[in-house]
């Protein structure tokens, strides 16, 4: 079981940067795949980034095309945290951002249904 709490959201101007963090509590954190999703008003929750376990202490990151090259996901297993560094932010990035976790059973990383645990979300607003 994993409990997730996001932090770091806020208001930033276009072109700026923001770093989101997600603190996890529970057991065997290092065994979980971790992801970030976002949901804008009136839109479906969409995949942003994920970091998947390939082997012991081996992880690979994946990104949605809309954020590739601008966002970077990372994890610190010792601190039980996963972060999302967001650079060159655009107004289109405005949304509530959620972190999520799942056991590495399948290679799927971009589907909401694949994740077992979700945080409450943190608001990110990018002004023009």
């Amino acid at each position: 079981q994993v409990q997730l709490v996001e932090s770091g959201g806020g208001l930033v101007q276009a072109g700026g940067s923001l770093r989101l963090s997600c603190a996890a509590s529970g057991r065997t954190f290092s065994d979980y795949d971790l992801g970030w999703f976002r949901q804008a008003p009136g839109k479906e929750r969409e995949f942003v980034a994920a970091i998947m376990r390939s082997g012991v202490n081996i992880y690979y990151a994946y990104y949605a095309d809309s954020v590739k090259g601008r966002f970077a996901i990372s994890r610190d297993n010792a601190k039980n945290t996963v972060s999302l560094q967001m650079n060159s932010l655009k107004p289109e990035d405005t949304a509530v951002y959620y972190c999520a976790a799942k056991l590495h059973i399948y290679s799927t990383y971009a589907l909401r249904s694949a994740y077992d645990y979700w945080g409450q979300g943190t608001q990110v607003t990018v002004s023009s």
Side-chain angles (χ1 to χ4, degrees):
Q1 294 183 317
V2 176
Q3 294 79 47
L4 306 170
V5 180
E6 303 95 337
S7 64
L11 176 65
V12 63
Q13 65 181 26
S17 298
L18 206 60
R19 186 177 180 86
L20 305 182
S21 295
C22 178
S25 62
R27 61 181 181 179
T28 59
F29 175 81
S30 62
D31 292 338
Y32 285 82
D33 295 332
L34 301 167
W36 285 95
F37 289 73
R38 66 187 182 186
Q39 186 168 23
K43 299 182 67 177
E44 297 292 324
R45 191 172 300 184
E46 65 177 2
F47 167 74
V48 176
I51 186 160
M52 305 273 287
R53 182 173 63 87
S54 180
V56 179
N57 296 320
I58 300 175
Y59 301 88
Y60 289 94
Y62 302 88
Y63 300 93
D65 289 340
S66 59
V67 306
K68 196 171 299 181
R70 299 189 297 122
F71 291 10
I73 188 171
S74 62
R75 64 190 294 164
D76 188 333
N77 292 335
K79 297 180 178 180
N80 286 1
T81 59
V82 58
S83 299
L84 184 69
Q85 178 65 46
M86 305 184 294
N87 300 320
S88 301
L89 283 163
K90 306 174 181 179
E92 307 91 89
D93 296 318
T94 296
V96 176
Y97 284 70
Y98 301 86
C99 62
K102 69 178 183 71
L103 287 170
H104 190 79
I105 301 174
Y106 304 102
S107 60
T108 300
Y109 57 83
L111 297 178
R112 290 177 293 167
S113 60
Y115 290 82
D116 303 300
Y117 307 100
W118 294 84
Q120 294 295 314
T122 185
Q123 177 70 49
V124 171
T125 302
V126 183
S127 62
S128 59

